[in-house]
Amino acid sequence: MKTEITHTVEMHTPGGEPIHLFRITNDSGAYVELTNWGARWTAAVVPDRHQQHADVIVGYDHLSGYLSDTYYMGATIGRFANRIQGAAFTIDGKEFQLEANDGVHTNHGGYSGFHQQCWQWQELPDGICFTLCSPDGEGGYPGTVQVEVTYRWNNRNELSIDYKGTTDQVTYLNLTNHAYFNLSGTKNKITGHSLQIPARKILDTTSEFIPTGSRVEVAGTLFDFTQSKPIGADLYAEHPQLTWNKGYNHYYILKESATPDWVPAARLYDPETGRLLTIETDLPGVLLYTAGYYEHPHTAVCLETQYFPDTPSHPDFPPCLLKPGETYRQQILYRFSVQNS
């Protein structure tokens, strides 16, 4: 039996573009759902230790919710994941002013981000390839950028996301997925989920979520997830970083260079159901966000693998400057399994 892919047109944008819902089902009956609106991941229905299936992606009951979504739920984030200080950067002596959608800063591509666009698509034997052309000047970014985001789902309950991008002018590109996970398959808080992130340092940030450039050792701090611990263990502790972030909203450094090497990014486990999610990537870090600014705080956790936030402002951060003739290629692998104890 091969992977089954179905799709339906659920609705249309105000401009008349069709919004599709895709379902990719493997041999065991586990499936993921995607949509071309924002090239989003909207569902992952996987078994628990008793072979009971449930959706572990937090989102909306109908695709119409994603049209007005302000939480980036399951979306492909671009052109630049996370923030850029002052909504501006300089390339070869020329300053580019971006859309300031987070105070004086820009976040997740600004108002013109990839999450609020209708993507083209192509069905593959085991997944969907979404494509988008971002014209020169969109969101203030230079260069016409062609982007591909390919989702594949297999019989091992693994979802891979492959990112590819090209440009006709020098520009910055930093893509990620913004899925919200709750492995219980409920709307309960994720404080009982155990999390491990094999990173010894995080980026220090200001109260406006902008990196200062300093790296902070996590050993002996509330931010240490090098050994698995419940997310709620220190979530409500009195600490300035936890206060202004309304929980965790921190970038964990997996490697200090933009190498193609794969690294483990996170291990998330729900002891109630036995569901286990492991994430691997070739990206240099992962943003841990416990959804403190979501309308239902701490009922989901985001683990966004990406380049360092505000890379254009920090020459010592791993570079994500894309030039004509080069190809941006990055990957993420999400593996769902069950642990019995």
Side-chain angles (χ1 to χ4, degrees):
M1 178 179 175
K2 68 175 184 177
T3 301
E4 180 185 7
I5 302 177
T6 61
H7 85 270
T8 55
V9 177
E10 295 288 300
M11 57 183 299
H12 291 78
T13 68
E17 296 173 292
I19 298 178
H20 298 260
L21 179 66
F22 303 90
R23 178 178 291 186
I24 311 171
T25 307
N26 66 18
D27 287 357
S28 71
Y31 65 86
V32 296
E33 290 184 337
L34 314 165
T35 178
N36 63 317
W37 178 253
R40 293 173 188 254
W41 179 14
T42 59
V45 176
V46 294
D48 65 6
R49 63 165 61 97
H50 302 297
Q51 292 302 304
Q52 298 297 310
H53 286 67
D55 186 7
V56 298
I57 301 293
V58 177
Y60 299 96
D61 294 334
H62 188 267
L63 285 188
S64 59
Y66 294 96
L67 283 177
S68 56
D69 169 56
T70 59
Y71 302 112
Y72 307 95
M73 303 195 97
T76 293
I77 302 299
R79 289 189 186 189
F80 196 95
N82 217 297
R83 290 164 179 83
I84 295 177
Q85 183 177 13
F89 57 67
T90 301
I91 298 176
D92 296 332
K94 181 178 180 180
E95 182 175 281
F96 295 90
Q97 189 65 48
L98 312 175
E99 295 171 344
N101 65 328
D102 189 47
V104 298
H105 313 296
T106 189
N107 185 37
H108 290 338
Y111 298 111
S112 304
F114 292 171
H115 62 289
Q116 290 292 88
Q117 299 196 41
C118 205
W119 293 56
Q120 300 299 307
W121 59 274
Q122 178 184 358
E123 185 176 314
L124 306 174
D126 57 351
I128 305 293
C129 177
F130 296 104
T131 59
L132 183 72
C133 176
S134 177
D136 178 35
E138 184 172 63
Y141 289 85
T144 296
V145 171
Q146 304 284 345
V147 177
E148 293 182 8
V149 178
T150 302
Y151 293 87
R152 290 184 171 89
W153 178 243
N154 65 27
N155 284 326
R156 296 183 296 276
N157 290 348
E158 295 172 336
L159 181 74
S160 64
I161 306 180
D162 297 282
Y163 299 100
K164 180 180 177 181
T166 58
T167 182
D168 62 358
Q169 295 181 49
V170 180
T171 193
Y172 283 98
L173 192 62
N174 178 20
L175 308 177
T176 192
N177 183 274
H178 208 303
Y180 286 68
F181 298 103
N182 186 323
L183 298 184
S184 72
T186 70
K187 296 182 180 179
N188 298 332
K189 290 193 174 184
I190 43 77
T191 49
H193 282 43
S194 292
L195 176 65
Q196 183 177 16
I197 299 176
R200 296 180 178 179
K201 295 179 182 180
I202 60 173
L203 287 182
D204 180 51
T205 63
T206 70
S207 59
E208 295 181 325
F209 320 113
I210 300 298
T212 64
S214 298
R215 283 78 158 166
V216 178
E217 295 277 354
V218 299
T221 75
L222 308 177
F223 306 97
D224 190 351
F225 284 94
T226 53
Q227 300 296 318
S228 182
K229 72 174 182 181
I231 291 175
D234 300 306
L235 182 61
Y236 302 108
E238 292 186 11
H239 189 286
Q241 286 273 349
L242 294 179
T243 299
W244 69 56
N245 285 286
K246 297 187 178 182
Y248 293 102
N249 188 13
H250 296 82
Y251 186 85
Y252 284 74
I253 300 171
L254 302 174
K255 54 184 181 179
E256 283 276 7
S257 59
T259 65
D261 303 318
W262 280 77
V263 291
R267 182 183 184 275
L268 183 67
Y269 175 64
D270 175 31
E272 294 295 320
T273 64
R275 292 190 182 97
L276 173 66
L277 168 63
T278 56
I279 304 174
E280 299 174 13
T281 188
D282 57 359
L283 285 153
V286 58
L287 193 287
L288 166 63
Y289 174 51
T290 51
Y293 287 87
Y294 177 44
E295 61 184 335
H296 306 294
H298 310 143
T299 59
V301 58
C302 301
L303 296 158
E304 309 157 49
T305 64
Q306 58 189 251
Y307 278 93
F308 289 27
D310 196 26
T311 294
S313 304
H314 299 272
D316 62 322
F317 285 3
C320 56
L321 198 67
L322 182 64
K323 301 176 182 179
E326 298 178 344
T327 301
Y328 175 100
R329 292 183 185 273
Q330 303 293 163
Q331 295 178 291
I332 313 171
L333 180 69
Y334 304 86
R335 180 181 297 111
F336 295 96
S337 59
V338 173
Q339 182 171 293
N340 289 320
S341 60

